[in-house]
Amino acid sequence: MSKPEVTAIIPVYNDHHSLGAAIPRSLETLAKITPDFEIIVAEDGSTDGSTEFVRDYEKRDPRVRLLHRDERQGRGKALNRAIREANGSIVCYYDVDLATDMQHLEELVGAIRGGYDIATGSRLLPDSDIVRTGGREIASRSYNLLVRTILGSKVFDHQCGFKAFNKERILPVLPTIRSNHWFWDTEILVRGQRMGFRVREFPVHWRAGKGTTVRMKDVFEMGSAILRLWWQIHVSKD
């Protein structure tokens, strides 16, 4: 197989039930965008059979690769590792539940082809089409307003799990990222903008996955993560 143009990363933790749909849909969608692609399943210490499922798929289709960890390291670490090991010059990732409609993948990849360093789907632009509970909507808008106000980001939606990068440009950013979990998405956007990267944000069709709720603990963690990154950037100069 020739060196792929695009690497699509699917971060996974105990998502066996979603992989059965996510992998074939990814193969189908990517094949319409480019003949040269690979899919990396960044599996992070799953115990539900996800590892075995992907290993079996890997044997049947060389375009699918498994990156496995025996113990859970965190979504951020899994993405860092997958991006470093990606063979494509364009690297994208999306959530295994395919909450963002895969029809947008061509636009995501196209933005990097067109010269942007980072591209990201957005649930908070006027033309975005989203369905989720009122509590999650309020929490999301409040969180993103704080990121824009405190950290100076120009992006409206930092947490949408649907992003792409110019691999060569993004690699130097990875060692600066401190978050290993959910805040990784925000941190890479903030640090990328501070390095002068061109960022393309576009509206998407998005549906909330099952079992996603907002707890008070999450709200406090969101605020703490924003303030911690502000401190790292402006005081400790990390």
Side-chain angles (χ1 to χ4, degrees):
M1 189 172 95
S2 60
K3 185 174 181 179
E5 177 196 14
V6 177
T7 298
I9 300 167
I10 308 176
V12 166
Y13 174 68
N14 285 345
D15 292 302
H16 188 183
H17 63 287
S18 297
L19 282 166
I23 293 178
R25 183 67 192 280
S26 297
L27 290 166
E28 177 187 1
T29 305
L30 285 160
K32 296 176 181 177
I33 298 171
T34 176
D36 301 312
F37 69 88
E38 66 176 352
I39 296 170
I40 294 179
V41 178
E43 186 275 305
D44 189 31
S46 297
T47 57
D48 70 339
S50 295
T51 305
E52 293 73 20
F53 179 85
V54 180
R55 278 185 179 143
D56 182 62
Y57 221 110
E58 194 176 32
K59 293 174 184 175
R60 292 183 280 117
D61 194 322
R63 297 172 297 180
V64 177
R65 293 172 56 197
L66 171 68
L67 285 185
H68 167 71
R69 286 191 183 274
D70 291 331
E71 297 182 1
R72 192 176 189 194
Q73 301 292 308
R75 180 173 174 275
K77 280 192 174 182
L79 284 168
N80 279 347
R81 179 190 178 197
I83 292 171
R84 289 190 181 101
E85 296 199 23
N87 292 314
S89 58
I90 298 173
V91 180
C92 64
Y93 75 92
Y94 43 84
D95 294 332
V96 67
D97 63 359
L98 306 184
T100 303
D101 196 311
M102 290 291 279
Q103 68 175 327
H104 300 295
L105 192 58
E106 185 170 7
E107 184 172 3
L108 189 73
V109 171
I112 307 302
R113 282 174 172 165
Y116 286 91
D117 303 304
I118 301 175
T120 180
S122 178
R123 300 160 297 181
L124 299 179
L125 292 176
D127 291 334
S128 301
D129 177 12
I130 70 170
V131 174
R132 62 179 164 188
T133 64
R136 281 177 57 82
E137 179 71 7
I138 293 170
S140 177
R141 290 189 178 275
S142 299
Y143 169 80
N144 283 287
L145 179 61
L146 286 174
V147 174
R148 286 170 57 81
T149 302
I150 295 174
L151 297 175
S153 175
K154 303 301 183 186
V155 174
F156 286 90
D157 184 5
H158 300 81
Q159 290 301 107
C160 184
F162 195 76
K163 293 180 172 60
F165 311 100
N166 176 313
K167 183 186 174 183
E168 183 179 357
R169 292 279 282 163
I170 207 65
L171 282 177
V173 183
L174 300 184
T176 71
I177 296 178
R178 307 286 284 275
S179 174
N180 294 330
H181 298 290
W182 63 269
F183 193 65
W184 186 95
D185 303 72
T186 295
E187 189 169 357
I188 200 165
L189 285 174
V190 170
R191 291 191 182 276
Q193 288 176 87
R194 290 183 61 81
M195 292 177 69
F197 287 5
R198 294 185 65 207
V199 180
R200 164 91 166 116
E201 183 179 21
F202 60 91
V204 295
H205 179 99
W206 185 91
R207 298 293 181 264
K210 294 181 179 179
T212 51
T213 58
V214 177
R215 304 162 296 174
M216 284 304 298
K217 176 186 175 183
D218 298 325
V219 176
F220 285 115
E221 287 182 354
M222 289 175 184
S224 298
I226 293 169
L227 293 175
R228 187 164 53 248
L229 181 55
W230 181 90
W231 179 271
Q232 291 166 3
I233 290 172
H234 296 284
V235 179
S236 64
K237 306 298 183 182
D238 289 345

